[in-house]
Amino acid sequence: MSDVIPGIPGFSFRGGALFCEDIAAEKLAQRFQTPLYVYSRAALEHNIADWKRGIEGTPHRVFYAMKANGNLALLDLFARAGLGFDIVSAGELARALAAGAKGQDIVYSGVGKSVSDIKAALQADVCCFNVESIPELDRINAVALSMEKKARISLRVNPNVDAKTHPYISTGLKNNKFGISFECAVEAYKKAAAMPGLVISGIDCHIGSQITELAPFIHAAHKVLDLVEALDAEGIALDHIDFGGGLGVRYADEEPPKAQELIAALTQCAKERGFGHLPLYFEPGRSLVAQTGMLLMRVEYLKPTAAKNFCIVDAAMTDMIRPTLYQAQMRLVNCIERSEGAALEYDVVGPVCESGDFLAKNRTLAVCEDDILAMTGAGAYGMSMASNYNARSRAAEVLIDADKAWLIRRRETIEDQMALESRLPQV
Ligand code: LLP
C-alpha cells in the first residue's frame, strides 16, 4: 500500500488499484458514474487537525475560505471542528449559516458587497466586514445606521507585496483591484473612526493564493504591523489582525510550509513588534481542501494524430478549470496501474468545444479506452468553479468515510439545468 499524496491519508494504491480510504476508485466510478468528485473524510480531518494544532494555546482563529469548496457536507465538518468561515457573498453567508455557523464565526471579504449583501450580513451579526474601499465604508455605515446596528469592520490593506504566484491569483500588488493602498490606510481608518455606524475591529490583508514560501507572508505581515503601530499612535486600537489565506499545497514538486510553520512565523512577527497579545485570524481555503479530493473521469477515446496523441475524457474544463485558466499542472493517475511499457505522451482533453478544454498537456500515461483516471489535488477550486458551458451537467460529489460512500451532491440533470428558464408563449 502506498500513499498517493505524501503526508496526507485517504488515497492509496492497493494491489495496483487506486483507493479512496477503503473503496476502490473504479467501484465509485461504476456506482456514481463520472465525472465524479471524491473526497476523503480522513484527509479532511487530517488538514483540520493541522490548522487547529497551529493555533492551539493561542487566541488565534481559523476561518475556512469556503470559495475553495462550498459543499454543505464539508462545511458541516468544518463547523463541527469549531472553524469559522470566510465568505464573499450572500450565498456563502447562507451556506455558512446552513452549516450551523453563528454570525460571530463569519468574516465577510470581497470588493463588491451590495446593499442587500450587507443587510443580510448585518442581520446575521457577522464577526467582521473586511472592507476594501472608502465607498464601501460609506455604504456599510449607511446600511448599519438604517438598521440601527453597528458594523464591526477591518480594512483590507494592499501591502504591495509580490506573492510570487500566478498573476491571476496574486492580490497584494498595487495594480490589483483588492484592498486599500498602504499609503491611504491610516487616513481611511480615521474616516471609519468618525462614522457612527461602524466599530473598528481589526486589520486585514490577503496577498494571493498558492503561495509556497514564507517570505512574502512575512514581508506583508511587517507592512501590516507598520500600520498597526501607526494606528496605535493615533489612538485607534484593534482587536485582531487577519493575515488572510493563501498557503499553497504540493501539486507537483512544490514544498510549501506547513500551516503550523506559517502560524508560528506570523505569531513571531506580531510578538517582535509588540503586538503578541492580538489574536491573529487566518482564512485558509486551498490548504484545507485541495489534497482531500480527486476528480474521477472515464477515458472515452484515444485519438492519435500526426502531431499529438489525445486522450479524450468525459471530464472537462467545466468540471476543473485550473489547468486552462492558470496553467496549473494537476496530477493525473490511472486508477488501475498499467505497465509503463504501454505509456505514451498525451494531451488529456475534454468534450467541450474549445481548444482550451484540456486537463493536462504532454503527459506520459499508460492508458486504455474506458479506463478511469483520477486527478489528485482537485478538492479546492474544482467543483466550486464548475459551470454548465455546453449544457454540461455538473458532476456528483461523494464523501468517503472508511468503507462508506455518502453522496453529498447528486449529479445535476438536464432538467435541473432547464428548470430556471422559461419558454416564450406560443403566439
Ligand atoms: N481570503 C481571501 C480574501 C481570498 O480572496 C482568498 C482566495 C482566500 C482567503 C483563500 O485563499 P487560499 O487559502 O485558498 O489560497 N481559483 C484560484 C484561487 C483563487 C483564490 C481567491 N481568493 C485557483 O484555483 O488557484
Side-chain angles (χ1 to χ4, degrees):
M1 183 168 128
S2 58
D3 278 344
V4 174
I5 302 166
I8 303 214
F11 304 99
S12 57
F13 271 101
R14 299 182 188 179
L18 178 63
F19 274 67
C20 179
E21 304 208 6
D22 297 331
I23 311 185
E26 285 256 331
K27 285 247 162 62
L28 291 168
Q30 267 162 24
R31 178 166 162 207
F32 296 102
Q33 306 300 299
T34 49
L36 179 71
Y37 274 99
V38 179
Y39 308 104
S40 156
R41 180 169 184 167
L44 282 159
E45 284 175 349
H46 171 92
N47 286 351
I48 293 171
D50 250 10
W51 273 95
K52 284 182 76 173
R53 205 170 300 122
I55 59 166
E56 223 165 48
T58 71
H60 306 338
R61 297 188 68 184
V62 177
F63 297 85
Y64 168 57
M66 75 161 79
K67 61 172 79 68
N69 190 325
N71 184 290
L72 289 175
L74 269 54
L75 301 187
D76 277 344
L77 286 181
F78 290 125
R80 285 182 214 168
L83 268 51
F85 296 101
D86 169 52
I87 62 158
V88 291
S89 68
E92 290 194 347
L93 173 65
R95 283 180 177 271
L97 297 175
K102 302 275 173 292
Q104 287 308 299
D105 304 325
I106 296 170
V107 293
Y108 190 176
S109 304
V111 288
K113 302 177 189 79
S114 70
V115 167
S116 67
D117 292 340
I118 295 166
K119 273 191 185 152
L122 279 170
Q123 206 64 55
D125 197 23
V126 296
C127 168
C128 192
F129 289 86
N130 292 335
V131 179
E132 305 225 10
S133 64
I134 308 274
E136 187 190 332
L137 273 181
D138 287 328
R139 181 179 283 184
I140 296 177
N141 178 51
V143 176
L145 290 176
S146 75
M147 294 171 73
E148 295 180 3
K149 286 184 180 278
K150 288 202 183 259
R152 286 174 295 276
I153 61 115
S154 277
L155 291 188
R156 173 171 177 181
V157 296
N158 184 330
N160 194 22
V161 165
D162 184 358
K164 301 201 174 73
T165 185
H166 190 278
Y168 288 8
I169 51 176
S170 189
T171 52
L173 284 168
K174 63 180 173 199
N175 58 357
N176 298 132
K177 70 177 173 182
F178 297 101
I180 290 178
S181 74
F182 181 80
E183 293 72 23
C184 304
V186 174
E187 272 317 299
Y189 268 101
K190 285 193 200 161
K191 283 206 170 104
M195 294 187 188
L198 305 183
V199 176
I200 292 172
S201 173
I203 188 163
D204 170 48
C205 91
H206 169 83
I207 55 171
S209 197
Q210 185 52 14
I211 302 169
T212 54
E213 297 165 40
L214 280 179
F217 286 109
I218 293 175
H219 187 182
H222 278 297
K223 296 200 78 172
V224 168
L225 288 158
D226 288 344
L227 289 174
V228 179
E229 236 165 55
L231 292 171
D232 203 43
E234 295 284 343
I236 298 178
L238 305 178
D239 60 31
H240 72 267
I241 304 175
D242 185 337
F243 283 127
L247 181 59
V249 301
R250 185 187 176 105
Y251 285 113
D253 53 2
E254 303 92 333
E255 290 189 7
K258 292 191 188 334
Q260 275 161 275
E261 291 166 332
L262 174 66
I263 296 166
L266 297 182
T267 305
Q268 184 58 28
C269 292
K271 270 196 191 139
E272 275 166 21
R273 303 287 298 267
F275 296 102
H277 59 287
L278 285 182
L280 304 184
Y281 289 5
F282 298 93
E283 302 168 357
R286 186 192 316 268
S287 55
L288 276 165
V289 289
Q291 306 292 25
T292 70
M294 60 183 185
L295 173 61
L296 299 185
M297 59 199 83
R298 188 174 291 276
V299 176
E300 296 281 7
Y301 302 101
L302 295 177
K303 176 176 172 179
T305 71
K308 283 217 161 232
N309 294 312
F310 291 101
C311 172
I312 304 175
V313 294
D314 64 0
M317 63 190 286
T318 49
D319 303 295
M320 168 48 83
I321 202 171
R322 304 198 68 255
T324 189
L325 190 55
Y326 314 113
Q327 296 80 48
Q329 300 287 327
M330 309 289 290
R331 193 170 157 210
L332 281 172
V333 295
N334 197 328
C335 291
I336 300 295
E337 276 177 331
R338 294 195 177 278
S339 88
E340 290 298 314
L344 285 178
E345 196 173 278
Y346 289 101
D347 278 8
V348 180
V349 300
V352 166
C353 300
E354 297 268 349
S355 292
D357 179 28
F358 60 87
L359 297 165
K361 289 204 159 182
N362 306 320
R363 215 46 86 75
T364 303
L365 288 169
V367 68
C368 296
E369 219 170 79
D370 232 24
D371 278 0
I372 301 296
L373 301 184
M375 176 184 280
T376 61
Y381 304 111
M383 189 61 182
S384 63
M385 296 181 81
S387 79
N388 290 123
Y389 185 42
N390 280 202
R392 287 172 54 81
S393 292
R394 276 174 292 180
E397 294 177 290
V398 291
L399 176 68
I400 309 303
D401 184 1
D403 59 355
K404 290 199 180 58
W406 303 102
L407 181 64
I408 57 172
R409 181 181 162 115
R410 70 162 169 80
R411 188 170 301 284
E412 207 172 22
T413 63
I414 307 291
E415 291 70 33
D416 290 333
Q417 286 193 50
M418 294 198 288
L420 300 180
E421 298 168 34
S422 307
R423 305 285 313 279
L424 286 180
Q426 298 294 327
V427 280

